[in-house]
Amino acid sequence: MSSELFHSQVMPIRPKLYRFAYRLLNNEQDAQDITQDAMLKVWHQQERMAELQNLEAWCMRIVRNLALDRLKSKKYRNTEMLDKAGGHAAHQQNPHLAAEQQDVMNRVHRIINTLPEKYRTIIQLRDVDGFSYQEIADILELTMNEVKTNLHRARKAVREQLQNIQVYGLQ
């Protein structure tokens, strides 16, 4: 792979790789490190790129594996939630509405962070990053049916927990 090919095919997906690593690790510095490590790994394994059907899915899988290794090695735990929704709340005219929306987003993120890792990852890939079911299946090395089933279960769990909080006041 030439430098030009690397820059034209791999570098454009770097922001997605970073967001995915950040969502898994919930730490900016670790996400940057993992993204850089993934880019180096892709560069060193460039001979495999010719046989790949989906370069982006392969890169995402590398990021996922590196992030999971980091989580295991550091006995890493998600203690803070990812919450960038507040950045655009300041642009709204009604501060009460903005505060209410921010509160709901905080609850949703808190609920998502309590889900098993597989569910959190699938929700991130589908609902945040916008990957197709097939791309998620390639990234996570699952069947399409497993992706759909796990996504359905994850969304259902979030919906039920959010309903319990909003309707019944249960935490």
Side-chain angles (χ1 to χ4, degrees), residues 16 54 56-57 60 121-148 151 155:
K16 273 188 176 180
N54 190 337
E56 188 172 335
M60 294 293 278
T121 302
I122 288 176
I123 283 180
Q124 169 71 26
L125 291 172
R126 179 68 182 162
D127 296 336
V128 177
D129 294 331
F131 283 99
S132 70
Y133 293 116
Q134 186 59 54
E135 290 171 324
I136 295 169
D138 292 343
I139 291 168
L140 300 179
E141 297 177 323
L142 299 171
T143 66
M144 184 98 78
N145 286 336
E146 288 174 314
V147 169
K148 290 178 180 180
L151 182 61
R155 287 175 175 168

Side-chain angles (χ1 to χ4, degrees), residues 20-81:
F20 185 49
Y22 185 79
R23 181 69 181 114
L24 291 172
L25 299 170
N26 214 15
N27 180 295
E28 186 176 328
Q29 186 63 43
D30 288 342
Q32 290 173 350
D33 291 346
I34 291 298
T35 304
Q36 185 65 34
D37 291 347
M39 298 300 276
L40 287 171
K41 193 167 190 171
V42 168
W43 177 258
H44 289 16
Q45 294 183 10
Q46 56 187 295
E47 67 278 351
R48 289 192 59 203
M49 292 181 63
E51 63 193 47
L52 296 174
Q53 292 181 6
N54 190 337
L55 174 68
E56 188 172 335
W58 181 62
C59 292
M60 294 293 278
R61 187 176 316 127
I62 290 172
V63 167
R64 176 181 175 264
N65 292 339
L66 289 171
L68 292 177
D69 288 346
R70 172 78 51 103
L71 288 171
K72 290 175 189 173
S73 71
K74 292 176 76 178
K75 304 292 186 223
Y76 207 94
R77 296 289 179 250
N78 283 333
T79 56
E80 294 187 36
M81 45 183 213

